[in-house]
Amino acid sequence: MPEIDACALDDIDEEDLLRFDHGERTYAIYRMEGEEVFCTDGLCTHEQVHLEDGLVMDYIVECPRHNGRFDIRTGEALGAPVCVNLGTYPARVESGRVFVELP
Amino acid sequence: MGLLSLITIPMERSYSLTGPESERAVEAGLANADWYRSPIDRKVLKGLMKRSDNPAMRDTAIWLGLLLATGGIGALLWGSWWALPFFIVYGVLYASAADSRWHECGHGTAFRTRWMNDAIYEIASFLMMRNSVVWRWSHARHHTDTIIVGRDPEISGMRPPQLIIIGLNFFGIVAAPQSFAAIFRNALGMLSADEADFVPESERPRAVRVARVHMSIYAVTLLACIAFGSILPAMLIGLPRLYGIWLLLVMGLPQHLGLAEDVLDHRLNSRTIYMNRLLRFVYMNMNYHVEHHMYPMVPYHRLPDLHEAVKDDCAPASTSLWQAWREIIPCVFRQLRDPRHFIRPELPPGAGAPSYGPMGQAAE
């Protein structure tokens, strides 16, 4: 998968996320403490609401519509109303930029 | 069903999730649509969404403590009229207050710690005579498609409003037997057509297991009544769902009653009402209902702050329950003659344009 320069690290607050659109798909890039970053699909698997307005807390993102929760490290759906996992993609930081490997 | 049809006022539209209105809503683009949300700075919202265990631990300790105390004293005084005030309070804590605990913990916002939300959610679901699995999905749908006819399973004020049923439900006379029958049906391994519409296949076995646990507790309660030759066990478990629900209806029916159907803007179909601290404790701040629907991730203890942040974009809140009901009562009586009548909240100058949705009903 090609690696893409997605954004500056400073574009994302700590314990927060940023929407990133690429090709015909949409993703969510998360920043935890320091330079720890993750990338998942952008849409909640329950009703396809974008996670961009969601809450990031303790490696969990919560969907803004129904409070469905996913582990951002693995994409695992953590219980109703979400049952299907999110896709996850490798992400890293280099020289203050966030790079993600996307299909 | 036969008895129910005798007290049901005929309706133009079907509120069933499997009827023609459901298809119509989907075709019109009202299902799972984008809803208006009052603008709020992301950093401010993040601060409001922040979770904490402390407020809910305090409120839960008070709630459970009062529940045990009033139930215990009521049981000790059983047979005397002195038991009555204790059972009145016990009933309200059991049924009316449990609804808001069920609601907040179902959203997972009351506590920061997940298992605490889940534990109180299960207890409150039992007290409310609700299958915790089925109702989690039902409420998710209510948030996706709030007051969209044919989509929202939690519309309590249909048009024309079912005033006989609503009146009887102040003492749970229709709703509690319906809830009990639903759990009994679930315990037998069956879901109704509406339940099957919103509960995914993978969750159904768990719904059946939960229903069986609930029915087992009711069976033990019934056996205790027979063994002791007294209805006291049922006065503590089960019957409070009837005699203690009235306050929930007083506070909860105004959430949406009399307002628009089929719009995509919670400012048009929901109502915020100022209430005193005691009622807000029972109701866990769900009186800030417009705000809750716009931003369901904000925990109950921050809803007053969210209200301050968005109130200039919303219709003025009702100043009291009394004021809200004074607006609602003439409206619902008029709806008996004219089911198309509803209340149009007046948005303040400078507020975001109302989102009437593809049916444009509120703009008529």
Side-chain angles (χ1 to χ4, degrees), chain A residues 19-39:
Chain A
R19 175 183 179 142
F20 179 63
D21 296 329
H22 178 69
E24 289 186 354
R25 296 186 60 179
T26 185
Y27 303 90
I29 300 175
Y30 309 85
R31 178 183 179 187
M32 300 307 290
E33 243 179 78
E35 296 194 348
E36 193 176 22
V37 291
F38 299 92
C39 180

PDB file of all heavy atoms in Angstrom, chain A residues 19-39:
ATOM      1  N   ARG A  19     -10.407  14.302  10.225  1.00  0.00           N
ATOM      2  CA  ARG A  19     -10.925  13.611   9.043  1.00  0.00           C
ATOM      3  C   ARG A  19      -9.903  13.717   7.925  1.00  0.00           C
ATOM      4  O   ARG A  19      -9.300  14.772   7.713  1.00  0.00           O
ATOM      5  CB  ARG A  19     -12.231  14.280   8.611  1.00  0.00           C
ATOM      6  CG  ARG A  19     -12.801  13.716   7.330  1.00  0.00           C
ATOM      7  CD  ARG A  19     -14.054  14.472   6.942  1.00  0.00           C
ATOM      8  NE  ARG A  19     -14.592  13.943   5.699  1.00  0.00           N
ATOM      9  CZ  ARG A  19     -15.876  13.801   5.449  1.00  0.00           C
ATOM     10  NH1 ARG A  19     -16.761  14.149   6.348  1.00  0.00           N
ATOM     11  NH2 ARG A  19     -16.296  13.318   4.301  1.00  0.00           N
ATOM     12  N   PHE A  20      -9.714  12.625   7.189  1.00  0.00           N
ATOM     13  CA  PHE A  20      -8.793  12.657   6.046  1.00  0.00           C
ATOM     14  C   PHE A  20      -9.450  11.918   4.881  1.00  0.00           C
ATOM     15  O   PHE A  20      -9.772  10.729   4.990  1.00  0.00           O
ATOM     16  CB  PHE A  20      -7.456  11.992   6.410  1.00  0.00           C
ATOM     17  CG  PHE A  20      -6.480  11.970   5.264  1.00  0.00           C
ATOM     18  CD1 PHE A  20      -6.005  13.170   4.710  1.00  0.00           C
ATOM     19  CD2 PHE A  20      -6.044  10.773   4.715  1.00  0.00           C
ATOM     20  CE1 PHE A  20      -5.116  13.160   3.646  1.00  0.00           C
ATOM     21  CE2 PHE A  20      -5.152  10.756   3.642  1.00  0.00           C
ATOM     22  CZ  PHE A  20      -4.685  11.949   3.110  1.00  0.00           C
ATOM     23  N   ASP A  21      -9.708  12.651   3.793  1.00  0.00           N
ATOM     24  CA  ASP A  21     -10.326  12.044   2.611  1.00  0.00           C
ATOM     25  C   ASP A  21      -9.240  11.728   1.595  1.00  0.00           C
ATOM     26  O   ASP A  21      -8.350  12.556   1.337  1.00  0.00           O
ATOM     27  CB  ASP A  21     -11.345  13.009   1.999  1.00  0.00           C
ATOM     28  CG  ASP A  21     -12.501  13.280   2.942  1.00  0.00           C
ATOM     29  OD1 ASP A  21     -12.845  12.378   3.737  1.00  0.00           O
ATOM     30  OD2 ASP A  21     -13.050  14.399   2.915  1.00  0.00           O
ATOM     31  N   HIS A  22      -9.323  10.549   1.019  1.00  0.00           N
ATOM     32  CA  HIS A  22      -8.308  10.148   0.032  1.00  0.00           C
ATOM     33  C   HIS A  22      -8.993   9.267  -1.018  1.00  0.00           C
ATOM     34  O   HIS A  22      -9.637   8.261  -0.669  1.00  0.00           O
ATOM     35  CB  HIS A  22      -7.182   9.375   0.718  1.00  0.00           C
ATOM     36  CG  HIS A  22      -6.127   8.899  -0.237  1.00  0.00           C
ATOM     37  ND1 HIS A  22      -5.269   9.778  -0.884  1.00  0.00           N
ATOM     38  CD2 HIS A  22      -5.806   7.661  -0.661  1.00  0.00           C
ATOM     39  CE1 HIS A  22      -4.458   9.067  -1.660  1.00  0.00           C
ATOM     40  NE2 HIS A  22      -4.771   7.792  -1.543  1.00  0.00           N
ATOM     41  N   GLY A  23      -8.842   9.646  -2.280  1.00  0.00           N
ATOM     42  CA  GLY A  23      -9.537   8.907  -3.327  1.00  0.00           C
ATOM     43  C   GLY A  23     -11.037   9.022  -3.075  1.00  0.00           C
ATOM     44  O   GLY A  23     -11.551  10.108  -2.789  1.00  0.00           O
ATOM     45  N   GLU A  24     -11.716   7.900  -3.103  1.00  0.00           N
ATOM     46  CA  GLU A  24     -13.165   7.950  -2.875  1.00  0.00           C
ATOM     47  C   GLU A  24     -13.521   7.552  -1.449  1.00  0.00           C
ATOM     48  O   GLU A  24     -14.693   7.328  -1.139  1.00  0.00           O
ATOM     49  CB  GLU A  24     -13.857   7.029  -3.882  1.00  0.00           C
ATOM     50  CG  GLU A  24     -13.797   7.621  -5.276  1.00  0.00           C
ATOM     51  CD  GLU A  24     -14.587   6.822  -6.283  1.00  0.00           C
ATOM     52  OE1 GLU A  24     -15.099   5.740  -5.932  1.00  0.00           O
ATOM     53  OE2 GLU A  24     -14.682   7.295  -7.423  1.00  0.00           O
ATOM     54  N   ARG A  25     -12.483   7.418  -0.606  1.00  0.00           N
ATOM     55  CA  ARG A  25     -12.771   6.951   0.751  1.00  0.00           C
ATOM     56  C   ARG A  25     -12.426   8.016   1.786  1.00  0.00           C
ATOM     57  O   ARG A  25     -11.706   8.963   1.508  1.00  0.00           O
ATOM     58  CB  ARG A  25     -11.986   5.654   1.022  1.00  0.00           C
ATOM     59  CG  ARG A  25     -12.452   4.532   0.102  1.00  0.00           C
ATOM     60  CD  ARG A  25     -11.790   3.234   0.455  1.00  0.00           C
ATOM     61  NE  ARG A  25     -12.083   2.825   1.822  1.00  0.00           N
ATOM     62  CZ  ARG A  25     -11.641   1.703   2.362  1.00  0.00           C
ATOM     63  NH1 ARG A  25     -10.868   0.883   1.662  1.00  0.00           N
ATOM     64  NH2 ARG A  25     -11.935   1.380   3.601  1.00  0.00           N
ATOM     65  N   THR A  26     -12.963   7.809   2.968  1.00  0.00           N
ATOM     66  CA  THR A  26     -12.703   8.770   4.041  1.00  0.00           C
ATOM     67  C   THR A  26     -12.174   8.033   5.271  1.00  0.00           C
ATOM     68  O   THR A  26     -12.594   6.911   5.558  1.00  0.00           O
ATOM     69  CB  THR A  26     -13.976   9.604   4.339  1.00  0.00           C
ATOM     70  OG1 THR A  26     -13.652  10.596   5.298  1.00  0.00           O
ATOM     71  CG2 THR A  26     -15.119   8.753   4.848  1.00  0.00           C
ATOM     72  N   TYR A  27     -11.249   8.675   5.967  1.00  0.00           N
ATOM     73  CA  TYR A  27     -10.549   8.029   7.084  1.00  0.00           C
ATOM     74  C   TYR A  27     -10.565   8.958   8.297  1.00  0.00           C
ATOM     75  O   TYR A  27     -10.940  10.139   8.200  1.00  0.00           O
ATOM     76  CB  TYR A  27      -9.092   7.731   6.692  1.00  0.00           C
ATOM     77  CG  TYR A  27      -8.989   6.867   5.466  1.00  0.00           C
ATOM     78  CD1 TYR A  27      -8.933   7.437   4.186  1.00  0.00           C
ATOM     79  CD2 TYR A  27      -8.984   5.476   5.571  1.00  0.00           C
ATOM     80  CE1 TYR A  27      -8.865   6.647   3.051  1.00  0.00           C
ATOM     81  CE2 TYR A  27      -8.918   4.672   4.440  1.00  0.00           C
ATOM     82  CZ  TYR A  27      -8.857   5.260   3.179  1.00  0.00           C
ATOM     83  OH  TYR A  27      -8.798   4.474   2.066  1.00  0.00           O
ATOM     84  N   ALA A  28     -10.129   8.408   9.426  1.00  0.00           N
ATOM     85  CA  ALA A  28      -9.928   9.216  10.636  1.00  0.00           C
ATOM     86  C   ALA A  28      -8.499   8.985  11.104  1.00  0.00           C
ATOM     87  O   ALA A  28      -8.063   7.833  11.215  1.00  0.00           O
ATOM     88  CB  ALA A  28     -10.920   8.811  11.717  1.00  0.00           C
ATOM     89  N   ILE A  29      -7.776  10.082  11.330  1.00  0.00           N
ATOM     90  CA  ILE A  29      -6.413   9.983  11.858  1.00  0.00           C
ATOM     91  C   ILE A  29      -6.444  10.506  13.294  1.00  0.00           C
ATOM     92  O   ILE A  29      -6.964  11.601  13.550  1.00  0.00           O
ATOM     93  CB  ILE A  29      -5.419  10.796  11.005  1.00  0.00           C
ATOM     94  CG1 ILE A  29      -5.434  10.264   9.567  1.00  0.00           C
ATOM     95  CG2 ILE A  29      -4.018  10.723  11.592  1.00  0.00           C
ATOM     96  CD1 ILE A  29      -4.573  11.076   8.603  1.00  0.00           C
ATOM     97  N   TYR A  30      -5.930   9.695  14.200  1.00  0.00           N
ATOM     98  CA  TYR A  30      -5.995  10.021  15.625  1.00  0.00           C
ATOM     99  C   TYR A  30      -4.607  10.346  16.142  1.00  0.00           C
ATOM    100  O   TYR A  30      -3.610   9.746  15.715  1.00  0.00           O
ATOM    101  CB  TYR A  30      -6.516   8.813  16.428  1.00  0.00           C
ATOM    102  CG  TYR A  30      -7.775   8.235  15.888  1.00  0.00           C
ATOM    103  CD1 TYR A  30      -7.751   7.287  14.857  1.00  0.00           C
ATOM    104  CD2 TYR A  30      -9.011   8.632  16.387  1.00  0.00           C
ATOM    105  CE1 TYR A  30      -8.916   6.747  14.350  1.00  0.00           C
ATOM    106  CE2 TYR A  30     -10.186   8.099  15.890  1.00  0.00           C
ATOM    107  CZ  TYR A  30     -10.127   7.154  14.867  1.00  0.00           C
ATOM    108  OH  TYR A  30     -11.293   6.639  14.379  1.00  0.00           O
ATOM    109  N   ARG A  31      -4.555  11.259  17.079  1.00  0.00           N
ATOM    110  CA  ARG A  31      -3.300  11.525  17.779  1.00  0.00           C
ATOM    111  C   ARG A  31      -3.538  11.318  19.280  1.00  0.00           C
ATOM    112  O   ARG A  31      -4.467  11.893  19.846  1.00  0.00           O
ATOM    113  CB  ARG A  31      -2.844  12.962  17.516  1.00  0.00           C
ATOM    114  CG  ARG A  31      -1.579  13.306  18.263  1.00  0.00           C
ATOM    115  CD  ARG A  31      -1.202  14.761  18.032  1.00  0.00           C
ATOM    116  NE  ARG A  31       0.011  15.091  18.767  1.00  0.00           N
ATOM    117  CZ  ARG A  31       0.506  16.311  18.877  1.00  0.00           C
ATOM    118  NH1 ARG A  31      -0.104  17.325  18.280  1.00  0.00           N
ATOM    119  NH2 ARG A  31       1.607  16.538  19.564  1.00  0.00           N
ATOM    120  N   MET A  32      -2.697  10.494  19.869  1.00  0.00           N
ATOM    121  CA  MET A  32      -2.759  10.353  21.324  1.00  0.00           C
ATOM    122  C   MET A  32      -1.682  11.263  21.907  1.00  0.00           C
ATOM    123  O   MET A  32      -1.484  12.346  21.421  1.00  0.00           O
ATOM    124  CB  MET A  32      -2.593   8.881  21.721  1.00  0.00           C
ATOM    125  CG  MET A  32      -3.677   7.970  21.142  1.00  0.00           C
ATOM    126  SD  MET A  32      -5.371   8.525  21.495  1.00  0.00           S
ATOM    127  CE  MET A  32      -5.462   8.223  23.253  1.00  0.00           C
ATOM    128  N   GLU A  33      -0.961  10.823  22.915  1.00  0.00           N
ATOM    129  CA  GLU A  33       0.066  11.698  23.508  1.00  0.00           C
ATOM    130  C   GLU A  33       1.289  11.769  22.604  1.00  0.00           C
ATOM    131  O   GLU A  33       1.678  10.749  22.017  1.00  0.00           O
ATOM    132  CB  GLU A  33       0.471  11.148  24.870  1.00  0.00           C
ATOM    133  CG  GLU A  33       0.150  12.100  26.004  1.00  0.00           C
ATOM    134  CD  GLU A  33       0.542  11.527  27.341  1.00  0.00           C
ATOM    135  OE1 GLU A  33       1.737  11.562  27.653  1.00  0.00           O
ATOM    136  OE2 GLU A  33      -0.353  11.027  28.039  1.00  0.00           O
ATOM    137  N   GLY A  34       1.895  12.925  22.488  1.00  0.00           N
ATOM    138  CA  GLY A  34       3.146  13.071  21.748  1.00  0.00           C
ATOM    139  C   GLY A  34       2.968  12.734  20.281  1.00  0.00           C
ATOM    140  O   GLY A  34       2.131  13.313  19.594  1.00  0.00           O
ATOM    141  N   GLU A  35       3.762  11.766  19.816  1.00  0.00           N
ATOM    142  CA  GLU A  35       3.746  11.450  18.390  1.00  0.00           C
ATOM    143  C   GLU A  35       3.058  10.118  18.102  1.00  0.00           C
ATOM    144  O   GLU A  35       3.284   9.488  17.070  1.00  0.00           O
ATOM    145  CB  GLU A  35       5.191  11.422  17.862  1.00  0.00           C
ATOM    146  CG  GLU A  35       5.868  12.784  17.943  1.00  0.00           C
ATOM    147  CD  GLU A  35       7.141  12.857  17.124  1.00  0.00           C
ATOM    148  OE1 GLU A  35       7.626  11.794  16.676  1.00  0.00           O
ATOM    149  OE2 GLU A  35       7.638  13.974  16.921  1.00  0.00           O
ATOM    150  N   GLU A  36       2.230   9.653  19.023  1.00  0.00           N
ATOM    151  CA  GLU A  36       1.530   8.377  18.820  1.00  0.00           C
ATOM    152  C   GLU A  36       0.281   8.629  17.964  1.00  0.00           C
ATOM    153  O   GLU A  36      -0.631   9.363  18.375  1.00  0.00           O
ATOM    154  CB  GLU A  36       1.131   7.782  20.169  1.00  0.00           C
ATOM    155  CG  GLU A  36       0.691   6.327  20.066  1.00  0.00           C
ATOM    156  CD  GLU A  36       0.381   5.720  21.424  1.00  0.00           C
ATOM    157  OE1 GLU A  36       0.102   6.469  22.386  1.00  0.00           O
ATOM    158  OE2 GLU A  36       0.414   4.478  21.511  1.00  0.00           O
ATOM    159  N   VAL A  37       0.266   8.044  16.756  1.00  0.00           N
ATOM    160  CA  VAL A  37      -0.860   8.285  15.843  1.00  0.00           C
ATOM    161  C   VAL A  37      -1.443   6.959  15.342  1.00  0.00           C
ATOM    162  O   VAL A  37      -0.752   5.932  15.314  1.00  0.00           O
ATOM    163  CB  VAL A  37      -0.446   9.149  14.626  1.00  0.00           C
ATOM    164  CG1 VAL A  37      -0.150  10.570  15.044  1.00  0.00           C
ATOM    165  CG2 VAL A  37       0.721   8.539  13.889  1.00  0.00           C
ATOM    166  N   PHE A  38      -2.705   7.001  14.948  1.00  0.00           N
ATOM    167  CA  PHE A  38      -3.402   5.825  14.418  1.00  0.00           C
ATOM    168  C   PHE A  38      -4.302   6.284  13.274  1.00  0.00           C
ATOM    169  O   PHE A  38      -4.636   7.469  13.185  1.00  0.00           O
ATOM    170  CB  PHE A  38      -4.260   5.163  15.502  1.00  0.00           C
ATOM    171  CG  PHE A  38      -3.474   4.679  16.687  1.00  0.00           C
ATOM    172  CD1 PHE A  38      -3.291   5.503  17.801  1.00  0.00           C
ATOM    173  CD2 PHE A  38      -2.878   3.427  16.682  1.00  0.00           C
ATOM    174  CE1 PHE A  38      -2.546   5.080  18.882  1.00  0.00           C
ATOM    175  CE2 PHE A  38      -2.130   2.984  17.757  1.00  0.00           C
ATOM    176  CZ  PHE A  38      -1.964   3.810  18.865  1.00  0.00           C
ATOM    177  N   CYS A  39      -4.680   5.318  12.454  1.00  0.00           N
ATOM    178  CA  CYS A  39      -5.596   5.644  11.346  1.00  0.00           C
ATOM    179  C   CYS A  39      -6.626   4.532  11.208  1.00  0.00           C
ATOM    180  O   CYS A  39      -6.284   3.340  11.270  1.00  0.00           O
ATOM    181  CB  CYS A  39      -4.796   5.791  10.052  1.00  0.00           C
ATOM    182  SG  CYS A  39      -5.824   6.186   8.621  1.00  0.00           S
TER     183      CYS A  39
END
